[in-house]
Amino acid sequence: RRGSHRSRMFALLLPPALSLLAGSAPSPAAPRAGRGARMAGGDVPSIIVGGGRIGSALKELGVEGDVVLRRGDAFPAAPASGPIYVTTRNDDLAGVVAATPPERRQDLVFLQNGMLGEFLEEQGLPDATQVLLYLAVAKLGEPPIDGITDTNPDGLTTAKGRWAEAFRARLAGGGLTCHVKQGDEYTKAMLEKHVWICAFMVTGALHGGVTVGEVESAHASQLRALVDELCAAGEAALGVRLEPGAFERLAAYGRSVAHFPTAVKEFEWRNGWFHKISQRALAEGRPDPLPLHTAALQELGVVKEGARV
């Protein structure tokens, strides 16, 4: 019965946010290297949870012995070790963790957008491998496009943790870039991506859901003010200091995915993280450090004045 329960939890659909926000400039992947070359570079047989665009791309980039788990599949006996790449919606993550045998949970690799730290702590996985994924897959089965911008020509995808090097090797086998960072360096990269998605989506939503490109080109001053506010609050909350030029880097990424639409989604994982910072400050009798963000959420009807998340 336990195996049957686990099987029902796996292979959930790829979240649209992954294919939407893991975008990049139009730089098609280079021809794939042979399997032996990728194995020598550090890739290993892996389990991939989800058969959508990102999951299928990881399988195509992979090695012999990979297994893709789709809905109804039982957790496989092999590979008995190696990464377990999770390409599901954020709201499905608890189910995926529960369905993973306890002895394999340290092998989970989370590729979702949003701040996952509190969730991972609650799951007993504070050191889990995480990936800030900047790959776009236009259609199922098409090769991924790398996350390269005019300010980051060496790519933006970043990984940390136990299986970070294996993930980098997998992407390298397909001519794709990936940085491996740990500690504060990863935290800074995570904050920048989080600010990007929260600032661009809110600003675009305030103007009726215009494209990311329109946000960057037509509403740059409003965007900059929000980015500056979110960066400052995020730095204070996480104890890091971003490198100069954060707005320019985020704007460049916006130009690289200019056709993407905007909308405020997955609030708990995204803008909700910043809203909690506001709520804590107000509860302690301090001014809201994010007045622009709070006002925007109220205008959009995402939160009500004085409401708690």
Side-chain angles (χ1 to χ4, degrees):
R1 290 179 179 271
R2 181 175 300 173
S4 175
H5 173 71
R6 285 177 177 157
S7 71
R8 289 196 299 270
M9 302 300 295
F10 275 108
L12 302 167
L13 296 176
L14 171 71
L18 277 179
S19 27
L20 168 64
L21 293 164
S24 66
S27 309
R32 296 172 58 204
R35 291 185 185 275
R38 289 198 300 281
M39 285 293 288
D43 199 359
V44 296
S46 307
I47 296 170
I48 301 165
V49 183
R53 283 178 279 182
I54 297 299
S56 296
L58 291 179
K59 177 65 166 64
E60 181 64 19
L61 291 167
V63 299
E64 186 175 353
D66 283 348
V67 174
V68 177
L69 291 181
R70 296 181 172 85
R71 191 177 302 278
D73 292 344
F75 194 90
S81 62
I84 303 172
Y85 296 116
V86 183
T87 66
T88 66
R89 297 176 184 273
N90 291 55
D91 288 343
D92 294 325
L93 292 179
V96 171
V97 173
T100 303
E103 66 274 13
R104 295 298 314 276
R105 290 176 186 171
Q106 293 296 329
D107 294 324
L108 291 166
V109 179
F110 297 91
L111 294 88
Q112 286 70 26
N113 287 303
M115 288 295 193
L116 304 184
E118 183 177 334
F119 167 80
L120 294 176
E121 290 278 355
E122 292 171 353
Q123 297 295 321
L125 299 170
D127 300 319
T129 304
Q130 292 181 249
V131 177
L132 305 173
L133 190 64
Y134 290 85
L135 296 179
V137 181
K139 295 181 181 179
L140 184 66
E142 290 193 1
I145 301 173
D146 207 348
I148 292 174
T149 72
D150 51 30
T151 61
N152 292 90
D154 55 348
L156 286 163
T157 294
T158 302
K160 75 159 186 174
R162 178 180 186 180
W163 295 113
E165 290 289 354
F167 184 79
R168 176 161 68 176
R170 177 159 299 214
L171 294 196
L176 300 166
T177 61
C178 179
H179 304 274
V180 172
K181 299 180 180 181
Q182 308 294 347
D184 286 350
E185 292 306 305
Y186 181 87
T187 300
K188 289 189 285 187
M190 177 178 65
L191 176 59
E192 282 203 19
K193 188 178 186 190
H194 194 58
V195 169
W196 187 90
I197 193 171
C198 291
F200 268 84
M201 296 300 113
V202 162
T203 304
L206 287 171
H207 294 279
V210 298
T211 65
V212 164
E214 290 177 89
V215 170
E216 191 274 333
S217 62
H219 307 287
S221 60
Q222 182 181 19
L223 175 67
R224 181 185 287 274
L226 186 56
V227 164
D228 289 347
E229 182 179 272
L230 295 178
C231 284
E235 287 174 333
L238 298 173
V240 297
R241 185 77 173 177
L242 299 179
E243 301 301 324
F247 177 78
E248 287 71 25
R249 291 189 295 275
L250 299 183
Y253 182 55
R255 291 191 296 273
S256 77
V257 291
H259 61 289
F260 285 169
T262 57
V264 177
K265 298 180 179 179
E266 295 189 318
F267 180 78
E268 176 187 353
W269 303 91
R270 300 183 187 180
N271 295 82
W273 186 82
F274 284 112
H275 190 54
K276 286 181 179 179
I277 293 175
S278 295
Q279 290 181 312
R280 284 195 294 269
L282 294 173
E284 294 168 2
R286 295 183 287 111
D288 184 353
L290 293 157
L292 296 177
H293 182 251
T294 299
L297 295 180
Q298 291 173 351
E299 182 176 341
L300 292 170
V302 177
V303 300
K304 296 181 179 180
E305 188 171 356
R308 300 187 64 84
V309 174

